[in-house]
Amino acid sequence: MMNDNNQSEKIIKNLQEDWNQLEKLSTSKEPSAFFMKDNLQYYQSRKKKAFYRELKLFIITAIFLLSCLSILAFQTLYIIAIIEVASIIVAPIIYFMLTRKQEGKIFDDRN
């Protein structure tokens, strides 16, 4: 009889602890609207800064390449001809290597 009372008290105690844990889980704290708005503005400003940084880098690189090519074009036509011939020879080789590499990846994924 005493054993039954102890077991029932243990079961009741365990059930109460489980119930309290369930109540703690169900009461989750939701972020406030101000917090969400503040975080959204922060990430938008970071994204905007990153975009402008990449845009500046792109423009600087493009101006540098165009100026180098224009200097080469005015210096001598011989260098331009060499660049064109090299690109005509190298471009198909690079294309062939990239397509072959891509085909290898496709076959590896199937296995």
Side-chain angles (χ1 to χ4, degrees):
M1 188 102 179
M2 185 96 152
N3 241 354
D4 290 337
N5 283 338
N6 286 340
Q7 282 183 341
S8 63
E9 286 178 12
K10 280 185 179 181
I11 291 172
I12 291 172
K13 185 178 178 183
N14 287 338
L15 285 173
Q16 285 176 344
E17 288 175 3
D18 291 342
W19 187 261
N20 288 335
Q21 287 178 356
L22 283 174
E23 284 180 355
K24 288 179 184 176
L25 288 176
S26 66
T27 56
S28 63
K29 295 181 180 178
E30 294 181 12
S32 66
F34 176 74
F35 177 76
M36 296 291 284
K37 186 177 179 182
D38 191 39
N39 275 344
L40 182 63
Q41 288 176 346
Y42 173 72
Y43 287 116
Q44 283 177 343
S45 68
R46 284 187 63 194
K47 190 175 179 181
K48 190 176 182 180
K49 287 179 184 177
F51 171 75
Y52 282 121
R53 192 174 334 137
E54 290 177 8
L55 181 64
K56 288 176 189 175
L57 183 64
F58 173 76
I59 290 173
I60 290 170
T61 305
I63 290 172
F64 175 74
L65 289 175
L66 286 174
S67 63
C68 288
L69 287 176
S70 63
I71 288 171
L72 286 175
F74 290 124
Q75 291 295 325
T76 177
L77 292 176
Y78 181 70
I79 294 174
I80 300 270
I82 290 174
I83 292 173
E84 287 180 7
V85 170
S87 65
I88 289 172
I89 294 171
V90 172
I93 294 171
I94 293 174
Y95 176 75
F96 177 73
M97 290 172 57
L98 289 175
T99 55
R100 190 148 193 206
K101 187 175 183 180
Q102 187 73 17
E103 289 173 2
K105 285 183 180 180
I106 291 171
F107 290 125
D108 287 343
D109 289 341
R110 289 183 186 171
N111 292 332

